[in-house]
Amino acid sequence: MSLLSPSRRLRETPFSAGVKAAGVKAYTVYNHMLLPTVFDDVERDYHQLKNHVQVWDVSVERQVELIGPDASRLMQLLTPRDLTKMQDDQCYYVPIVDQKGRMLNDPVAIKHSETRWWISIADSDLLLWAKGLAIGAGFDVEVFEPDVAPLGVQGPKAGQLMERVFGPEVHDIRFFRHKRLPFGGSSFIVAQSGYSKQGGFEIYVEDRNLAMPLWDALFAAGPDLTVRAGCPNLIERIEGGLLSYGNDMSMENTPFECGLDKFCNAPESVDFIGKAALKAEAETGPKRKIRAVAIDGDPVSATTTAWPLSSGETIVGQITSAAWSPDFQTNVAIAMVDAGFWEAGTSLTADTPEGQRTATVQAGFWK
């Protein structure tokens, strides 16, 4: 693959110096920023994440801030998830859909108060959609991107490392809750969340002057915990069924197709964009669904394009992400599969770069 040409449009992050010093080997572009994807190699990074602790520069999870009297009205308008009982220290995973019920993003909404929210976005320009809705609805709310850089601490030893830097209060933070904790004469929002199934935290750094001091403090506190720089890991996320917007789902898909039915629970009295479309789909059922699929044979290549899934001569879906799993000794994959072919045990054929392979629909992800 050719190299990327640097420019002001391809932004570095407040942690880029630390990432480079840690020996990053590859990046992808995410929300117009550089997201590390490999440090040692994908498999060794995978084992290190599952056994120890990693520090992730996930500044690419840009925040869309809503602030003002109508902030909560706008936040609810954006998503079919019921936010009416959400408390001020909670984080919610929320599908964001358009008027046709199609996915625009799958961020985490962070509630500070009724008049202030952050939306920690996946890879799409949600800021512009939120601004347009606010203006069109005449809401009294400011919508902008604050200078906030999330840092992830992920892995089974994440709690130990975080305690050494932030104190025992980190253990008071429940899953998908957040708390403001002091550091370096300032304080950061710390949430028990992250893009892995190994457990961990995300630290929302609001003062970029404290970014590298925080990075250095985490590494200084954890040599005996085998702390390393890391990043979201392809193998681990597929095993756990963590979807990637732009890879496993896009504006062509609905929350029901993506297995996000439980997050489409706003009561009839609550208005949101796409309400009529999702109500109609709930009555008929989706035409396709995300499924875990095991692919037979030797390790497959990376999925730079979707791989067709067929039953006989008929295309019935596509593989969207795949990787060899060292722990499960099979090629694990995420697929979008048509109705009638998504039941566990269904045998299909995947057209991989290595040739046709048997692909078997699983009852669930490996986790």
Side-chain angles (χ1 to χ4, degrees):
M1 182 177 179
S2 301
L3 297 176
L4 291 170
S5 297
S7 74
R8 292 186 62 218
R9 289 181 288 108
L10 187 58
R11 299 179 290 177
E12 291 194 335
T13 82
F15 307 106
S16 288
V19 168
K20 292 175 184 177
V24 63
K25 290 183 178 176
Y27 295 99
T28 190
V29 178
Y30 194 107
N31 282 328
H32 316 290
M33 300 185 82
L34 292 172
L35 172 64
T37 56
V38 180
F39 280 88
D40 195 344
D41 64 40
V42 174
E43 188 168 322
R44 282 197 279 265
D45 290 350
Y46 160 87
H47 288 301
Q48 207 279 332
L49 170 61
K50 294 186 81 170
N51 289 287
H52 302 291
V53 59
Q54 293 180 349
V55 179
W56 295 3
D57 177 8
V58 283
S59 302
V60 298
E61 295 172 2
R62 304 313 297 160
Q63 306 305 298
V64 174
E65 181 159 337
L66 316 179
I67 189 166
D70 290 329
S72 289
R73 289 179 66 193
L74 176 58
M75 188 66 241
Q76 184 64 82
L77 190 65
L78 286 165
T79 180
R81 183 163 185 181
D82 183 10
L83 306 180
T84 57
K85 297 179 181 179
M86 189 174 175
Q87 298 177 9
D88 290 355
D89 68 339
Q90 283 189 285
C91 313
Y92 271 15
Y93 178 73
V94 292
I96 305 287
V97 302
D98 66 11
Q99 74 281 6
K100 294 182 179 180
R102 304 297 178 89
M103 295 287 295
L104 296 178
N105 206 282
D106 67 325
V108 172
I110 301 160
K111 186 176 183 182
H112 297 268
S113 69
E114 284 296 321
T115 58
R116 188 184 183 212
W117 297 72
W118 284 347
I119 311 172
S120 191
I121 63 173
D123 187 22
S124 78
D125 292 312
L126 191 69
L127 174 68
L128 306 179
W129 175 254
K131 274 182 172 289
L133 288 180
I135 293 169
F139 285 168
D140 184 1
V141 60
E142 291 184 59
V143 181
F144 63 97
E145 180 184 302
D147 188 13
V148 176
L151 189 69
V153 179
Q154 299 291 306
K157 300 176 185 176
Q160 293 173 263
L161 182 62
M162 288 290 288
E163 180 178 357
R164 295 177 186 183
V165 174
F166 287 98
E169 279 188 282
V170 296
H171 300 299
D172 296 333
I173 305 172
R174 292 157 54 194
F175 184 61
F176 261 55
R177 298 267 180 164
H178 63 80
K179 188 178 183 71
R180 185 169 285 278
L181 298 179
F183 177 84
S186 185
S187 63
F188 303 136
I189 292 290
V190 178
Q192 190 189 154
S193 59
Y195 194 56
S196 87
K197 289 289 186 175
Q198 307 311 308
F201 298 83
E202 289 179 301
I203 308 158
Y204 292 82
V205 179
E206 297 166 77
D207 183 349
R208 62 175 45 237
N209 293 319
L210 291 175
M212 284 309 299
L214 173 61
W215 176 280
D216 292 338
L218 287 163
F219 281 93
D224 60 314
L225 302 177
T226 321
V227 62
R228 296 285 187 273
C231 51
N233 184 269
L234 175 68
I235 307 169
E236 193 270 348
R237 82 159 182 87
I238 296 173
E239 288 178 354
L242 296 176
L243 305 183
S244 170
Y245 187 82
N247 286 312
D248 305 310
M249 56 184 167
S250 69
M251 283 190 285
E252 296 180 359
N253 303 117
T254 70
F256 296 111
E257 293 176 350
C258 299
L260 306 180
D261 313 40
K262 65 181 179 181
F263 302 120
C264 299
N265 62 347
E268 186 61 34
S269 59
V270 169
D271 193 25
F272 59 88
I273 299 295
K275 184 174 182 177
L278 292 183
K279 183 177 181 180
E281 187 180 12
E283 292 173 355
T284 62
K287 297 178 180 179
R288 52 193 173 181
K289 279 188 180 181
I290 287 280
R291 283 292 183 263
V293 171
I295 302 174
D296 288 356
D298 295 333
V300 294
S301 305
T303 45
T304 54
T305 60
W307 304 340
L309 272 176
S310 59
S311 177
E313 300 298 317
T314 305
I315 302 296
V316 297
Q318 61 182 13
I319 299 288
T320 55
S321 297
W324 174 259
S325 167
D327 283 0
F328 294 96
Q329 288 294 295
T330 189
N331 291 295
V332 295
I334 298 173
M336 189 69 75
V337 185
D338 291 351
F341 300 92
W342 66 44
E343 295 301 324
T346 302
S347 181
L348 303 172
T349 300
D351 192 2
T352 79
E354 289 73 33
Q356 291 191 335
R357 300 279 189 89
T358 299
T360 307
V361 180
Q362 306 296 294
F365 286 93
W366 293 264
K367 301 182 181 180

